[in-house]
Amino acid sequence: MRTAAAEALGKIGSTAVEPLLAALNDANGYVRSAAAEALGRIGDVRAVEPLIAALKDPHAYEPHRAARALGQIGDIRAVEPLIAALKDSEENVRRDAAEALGSIGDVRAVEPIIALLKDSDYVRPGAIDALGRIGDRRAVEPLVAVLEDFGGATRDTAATALGKIGDVRAVEPLIAALQRPGQLRGSHKEAEALGKIGDRRAVEALIGALKDSRREMRENAALALGKIGDVRAVTPLIVALKDLHESVRTAAREALEALKSEPSDQSQQAQPVSKSEAHSAAALDAIPITAGPQHYSNRDWGFELDYPADWKIQVENDPAGSWTVAVIIVGDAPTGGKAGIIVNARRGPVLAGGGGGGFSQVYVIGSDGSSPQLPRTAHEFIEKAKKRFRQRAVSNSTCYAQDSCS
């Protein structure tokens, strides 16, 4: 009951601070823990000294919660006690103390947190994240060393931290990590970090990442290229406008729009432009980035179609019992309703005309909300749809059921 009361007081706000401070001395450890969490949420500086005392108390119940609360409050009085807590015998205290120091952002914590990079796999991610949030350049080389780690999640956290710090010394190691083959292959976090740093040395590696088999890698590579602003990326980004996934196509459009704007880096403006770069820049000016129709290709089920540029893919390859919802594409109809396409695929010999009863169901949702089942196979649907989408905007999707539709 007292634990629930402490949790409820945390929702009240500053008027509850005094009762919660009293609850830090409760005989019940669960109550003390709940009070520490509540004080952290409120963020009142009156709680700093009592929470420091709880952090130092060897008999305290779950002192890591006091560390977490001190990080939420963000008062610099907690820095030295939290640095001391980095040497605590409990892993959760060391990790939460590091994360709290990252939230406070005091550079006194940098060297002690760097020492935690040799700690356990449970502690290290919190230390890495803290170094990224503090943003001190002393952490660059130790974080670069973490990029060679065998743990993918730890490497990703290090890449994110290096992106936040933004030091160019991380560029070459991040490129090497991005291009690493096999089981230790790079992730989209390296691409994201390279985009934040913004160094042109990363352009070729990021262009290569646009062909990666992973959606998140292609998406983040496109966004990073937009942030760097090098015209060598124009043609590869135009190709990415036809990617299978909408998120990648959107990222490519955003990157191309960013490339159309004036670069903010004056040193980049002053660099000589090659003939190929000039050609790419001219091509960029000629491309209407928002033009349609969009092209959709489903590699898992082996079909493709075009759809209006302002329609959105909402569902893709979503299992549904013995069927898979291969794709749902929806747009606003001129009449004010929703028009769209749903392709349902049965697992087995489907989508090429079907076999026996195993055909693909294709639904087209009209603007009035109706969802008639139209052609019985995806092949039949695609043959009708691919011409209609190219010829005119869709005002009534049930047009696809009519051979006479113009």
Side-chain angles (χ1 to χ4, degrees), residues 253-335:
R253 284 195 296 273
E254 290 177 1
L256 287 166
E257 290 289 0
L259 281 162
K260 278 188 172 183
S261 63
E262 289 293 324
S264 58
D265 186 351
Q266 296 300 317
S267 63
Q268 182 170 314
Q269 285 182 315
Q271 294 180 2
V273 178
S274 67
K275 289 183 178 180
S276 62
E277 289 176 327
H279 176 76
S280 294
L284 176 61
D285 290 336
I287 293 292
I289 303 303
T290 58
Q294 298 286 354
H295 184 76
Y296 175 78
S297 176
N298 190 308
R299 296 172 186 169
D300 290 343
W301 293 100
F303 70 92
E304 57 186 71
L305 54 85
D306 290 332
Y307 63 93
D310 57 348
W311 286 28
K312 303 293 183 184
I313 297 174
Q314 293 195 346
V315 174
E316 188 173 25
N317 295 335
D318 184 27
S322 62
W323 293 85
T324 291
V325 180
V327 69
I328 298 178
I329 309 175
V330 180
D332 290 319
T335 57

Side-chain angles (χ1 to χ4, degrees), residues 9-272:
L9 287 170
K11 299 177 182 178
I12 294 174
S14 59
T15 56
V17 170
E18 293 299 334
L20 287 168
L21 291 175
L24 284 178
N25 298 313
D26 194 278
N28 187 308
Y30 290 104
V31 175
R32 297 197 300 273
S33 178
E37 289 188 346
L39 288 166
R41 287 195 298 271
I42 293 171
D44 194 296
V45 295
R46 287 177 288 172
V48 172
E49 294 297 344
L51 285 168
I52 289 174
L55 179 67
K56 294 179 178 180
D57 185 356
H59 304 294
Y61 179 78
E62 296 188 336
H64 71 101
R65 298 187 188 275
R68 193 179 301 168
L70 288 167
Q72 290 175 300
I73 296 171
D75 193 288
I76 60 172
R77 287 176 290 171
V79 171
E80 292 297 340
L82 286 167
I83 289 174
L86 295 177
K87 297 180 180 180
D88 194 275
S89 61
E90 296 293 329
E91 284 186 328
N92 54 2
V93 175
R94 298 197 301 274
R95 175 167 175 152
D96 283 358
E99 292 180 345
L101 288 164
S103 297
I104 296 172
D106 194 295
V107 295
R108 286 177 287 172
V110 172
E111 295 293 347
I113 295 175
I114 288 174
L116 285 188
L117 295 181
K118 297 180 180 179
D119 208 306
S120 69
D121 288 342
Y122 178 79
V123 175
R124 294 170 71 204
I128 294 167
D129 179 68
L131 290 170
R133 284 189 284 168
I134 295 172
D136 191 283
R137 294 188 175 186
R138 286 175 289 172
V140 172
E141 291 185 5
L143 288 172
V144 164
V146 177
L147 291 177
E148 299 298 323
D149 196 280
F150 286 94
T154 304
R155 292 201 313 269
D156 286 354
T157 308
T160 298
L162 288 166
K164 290 178 180 178
I165 296 172
D167 192 294
V168 295
R169 286 177 293 167
V171 171
E172 295 293 347
L174 284 167
I175 291 172
L178 181 72
Q179 297 177 322
R180 187 188 293 121
Q183 292 183 340
L184 298 179
R185 65 178 179 167
S187 83
H188 65 281
K189 292 297 184 181
E190 282 101 13
E192 183 179 3
L194 288 166
K196 288 182 178 179
I197 297 172
D199 193 289
R200 295 181 72 181
R201 286 175 290 171
V203 170
E204 293 298 337
L206 290 167
I207 288 174
L210 290 175
K211 299 178 182 179
D212 194 274
S213 61
R214 294 162 291 176
R215 175 191 59 79
E216 287 185 328
M217 177 67 88
R218 300 195 303 277
E219 179 181 341
N220 280 274
L223 292 172
L225 288 166
K227 290 176 181 177
I228 294 173
D230 192 297
V231 294
R232 286 175 290 171
V234 171
T235 300
L237 285 168
I238 291 172
V239 173
L241 292 173
K242 297 182 179 180
D243 193 274
L244 166 66
H245 291 277
E246 181 187 5
S247 62
V248 179
R249 298 194 298 270
T250 299
R253 284 195 296 273
E254 290 177 1
L256 287 166
E257 290 289 0
L259 281 162
K260 278 188 172 183
S261 63
E262 289 293 324
S264 58
D265 186 351
Q266 296 300 317
S267 63
Q268 182 170 314
Q269 285 182 315
Q271 294 180 2

